[in-house]
Amino acid sequence: MDPRVEKQLAPLRRKAVDLGLGPALKLVRDTVVPTARRNRNDDRHLALLLSFVLRENSNCIDVGAHRGDVLRTILRHSPQGRHIAYEPLPHMAASLTTDFPTVQVRQAALSDTPGVLPFTYVRSRPAYSGLRDRVPDTEEVEQIEVAVEVLDEALPADYQPTLIKVDVEGAEYGVFRGARKLIAASRPHLVFEFGAGARDYGTTADEMYELVDSDLGLRIFDLDGDGPYTLPKFRDSFETGRHFNFVAHP
């Protein structure tokens, strides 16, 4: 969208949300905006995937749990599993802890190096928050600091996930680099987003494909079930934005 139009619409959108019209706006957006339609379809297909992949006692890791939409589906299919949710925003981590008392909620981000890093909290659109500031100046932004963990170092030695879902606004590559030992040992399904946000982290389609397909030995599919992806096809999908949600498995 033209930045000038976005600048004019931003305060109207925030006012509509304040008036309780957020769900109605989302419905319109999901119907009209191509990427939103793609997300809506992928969400449906993800729910179907989880129903086939998960057993009653499967363990799952939800990285970028946000409000817990995927986590809620995970718990429905695997109520006896040991689930871990990562959410760096303090108020959302607190809500997840309250809403999902059986889940271990960790208020932290994930990458391949532990520490404490600046984090951009997009107050007007929390789902766009991340380790990089990648939103237009029309949004309401607050800079905070968050703890950063590495999956290979942060989990109990006996923990074996069946599925790892990662949606961290472009930082997915770092999450997987920090989980190579865990993924090699457990061979879980990886559900991940890989779209335009990765450019803000300097990650290319070739690098992500090399890591997931070659290094980790997993085949990549989109959530329409098309695949396994070759490198040229994965590269084309990244450049065109035709697909940006994927699942990888042995």
Side-chain angles (χ1 to χ4, degrees):
M1 181 179 292
D2 188 302
R4 293 169 297 181
V5 176
E6 178 71 18
K7 189 170 185 177
Q8 293 173 342
L9 291 179
L12 296 175
R13 186 183 66 246
R14 288 196 289 269
K15 183 65 175 178
V17 171
D18 291 341
L19 292 173
L21 298 176
L25 282 178
K26 185 178 187 303
L27 179 61
V28 172
R29 184 174 183 274
D30 287 352
T31 303
V32 174
V33 180
T35 55
R37 289 202 304 270
R38 177 77 267 164
N39 260 325
R40 182 183 60 184
N41 289 335
D42 286 350
D43 287 346
R44 292 171 177 166
H45 296 165
L46 174 57
L48 185 62
L49 173 70
L50 295 178
S51 72
F52 285 117
V53 169
L54 300 183
R55 298 186 177 186
E56 187 177 25
N57 62 347
S58 296
N59 301 328
C60 300
I61 305 174
D62 188 350
V63 185
H66 198 51
R67 293 190 174 92
D69 293 339
V70 175
L71 191 58
R72 190 169 287 105
T73 304
I74 287 172
L75 280 167
R76 187 167 68 251
H77 294 304
S78 302
Q80 304 303 319
R82 296 163 59 195
H83 307 305
I84 300 173
Y86 276 89
E87 175 51 56
L89 290 176
H91 69 287
M92 287 194 168
S95 294
L96 290 169
T97 300
T98 299
D99 294 342
F100 303 98
T102 63
V103 174
Q104 183 182 148
V105 178
R106 299 189 176 188
Q107 186 186 314
L110 284 174
S111 189
D112 55 354
T113 304
V116 176
L117 289 176
F119 190 88
T120 300
Y121 169 30
V122 185
R123 299 180 66 90
S124 50
R125 289 189 178 184
Y128 288 80
S129 304
L131 291 169
R132 295 286 188 277
D133 187 350
R134 46 181 298 267
V135 296
D137 58 10
T138 55
E139 302 296 343
E140 184 183 349
V141 170
E142 177 185 348
Q143 296 297 329
I144 62 176
E145 287 190 338
V146 300
V148 179
E149 296 184 2
V150 174
L151 271 182
D152 279 344
E153 302 172 1
L155 302 183
D158 66 340
Y159 187 83
Q160 291 191 326
T162 298
L163 181 138
I164 303 174
K165 166 253 170 183
V166 184
D167 183 355
V168 287
E169 294 304 303
E172 292 79 12
Y173 182 72
V175 175
F176 290 149
R177 277 183 53 85
R180 285 175 290 185
K181 293 179 182 178
L182 175 69
I183 295 169
S186 302
R187 311 300 286 164
H189 281 67
L190 304 181
V191 175
F192 64 100
E193 182 180 79
F194 187 69
R199 294 188 177 93
D200 295 300
Y201 290 80
T203 305
T204 67
D206 291 46
E207 288 172 325
M208 180 61 95
Y209 188 89
E210 179 73 18
L211 175 62
V212 175
D213 182 274
S214 301
D215 294 351
L216 298 176
L218 304 178
R219 298 180 299 160
I220 301 173
F221 298 78
D222 59 46
L223 288 182
D224 283 340
D226 193 14
Y229 269 53
T230 62
L231 174 55
K233 184 170 182 176
F234 190 69
R235 189 186 293 144
D236 178 70
S237 183
F238 180 64
E239 294 299 329
T240 62
R242 189 173 295 112
H243 286 278
F244 42 83
N245 293 308
F246 300 93
V247 57
H249 59 83

